[in-house]
Amino acid sequence: MLETIAGAQVARTPAEVRAWTATMRAAGKRTALVPTMGALHAGHMTLVDTARQHAGAVLVSIFVNPMQFGPKEDFSAYPRPFENDCALCAAKGVDLIYAPTPATMYPPGFQSHVEVEQLTQGLCGAARPTHFRGVTTVVMKLLNIALADVAVFGEKDYQQLQTLKRMALDLDHPTAILGAPIAREPDGLAMSSRNVYLSAAERQAAPAIVQSLRAAQARVRAGERDAARLVAEMSAAQSAAGGRIDYVQIVDPQTLQPLEMLERSARVIVATWFGRARLLDNMDLLI
Ligand code: AMP
């Protein structure tokens, strides 16, 4: 039996999700999966909008996946406002929430993993060596449970999106992996569940990240092509605002390999700490 929480229907087991997908399919509806870790915000809701454009029935999963957190990361502290998440989904017309427990996802004896080898090496993979293995494993499980026509992921986690597209291609998964643009606060800061970690002063300073990316975009439009110079400028601007840079890199948008000179297409990808929040952002530079 599905639970109803804050007006939303909630499944707790793979069998419940599969039965729902089969019912939707029998009714002639395409299905879309939107995987999340909860603490939902307007950015997640734009993924639901994208999902709705492709499917008559939308499933949102909410699971704070222990496997993608390192031992010193914020797994325990990660916000879990579950009732509020259910209310947001209900208001948005989400058809089903899948909220499994860690024990359901990883029962005793669990020992299988999915790894995408190259795309996960640099950028976030450098500082978080086991992160993407946790992401690809949980997303493959969710794709296999949902058996949806499409699954939607945000470009905010650009390396993750590219990695998941590769995974689905390499392993012949039939669900189409779609990307959705970064949703931003009015001052440009990329929306994130981790923005709640920011103090008022850090929240005021954090838009320096997106401002530095926009400045780089303008420099490229004006003719700059030297990646090292652009990276130095963005880093200096973010540091001056109090950010502690994990990385600022200009990469090929498909291979994620670092570029020295910008030629056809290029993406800048950034991870910078403000206080205890590690904030991600990225942008096309050659447009
Ligand atoms: P999370 O709950 O942070 O794991 O994110 C779940 C999904 O929402 C991922 O596909 C993220 O890329 C996406 N997402 C999170 N924040 C944003 C945002 N500001 N804009 C677009 N997508 C986002």
Side-chain angles (χ1 to χ4, degrees), residues 67-78:
M67 199 189 281
Q68 72 190 66
F69 288 79
K72 293 189 185 134
E73 294 180 0
D74 58 343
F75 174 68
S76 316
Y78 199 84

Side-chain angles (χ1 to χ4, degrees), residues 35-38 41 43-44 46-47 78 152-157 160 180-183 190-193:
T36 80
M37 297 205 301
H41 50 67
H44 294 112
T46 66
L47 301 192
Y78 199 84
V152 185
F153 299 86
E155 283 184 357
K156 195 197 49 106
D157 301 273
Q160 168 175 288
I182 301 176
M191 291 180 180
S192 166
S193 304

Side-chain angles (χ1 to χ4, degrees), residues 52-97:
R52 187 62 74 191
Q53 287 163 16
H54 294 268
V58 176
L59 165 65
V60 170
S61 65
I62 297 180
F63 180 60
V64 186
N65 175 33
M67 199 189 281
Q68 72 190 66
F69 288 79
K72 293 189 185 134
E73 294 180 0
D74 58 343
F75 174 68
S76 316
Y78 199 84
R80 291 168 171 81
F82 185 62
E83 291 238 349
N84 190 54
D85 289 346
C86 290
L88 284 175
C89 286
K92 195 76 188 165
V94 167
D95 298 274
L96 184 69
I97 293 171

Side-chain angles (χ1 to χ4, degrees), residues 118-141:
Q118 285 157 33
L119 288 168
T120 59
Q121 289 304 303
L123 304 168
C124 284
R128 308 181 74 191
T130 58
H131 171 68
F132 284 113
R133 181 187 203 245
V135 171
T136 45
T137 300
V138 79
V139 170
M140 183 54 93
K141 283 172 67 72

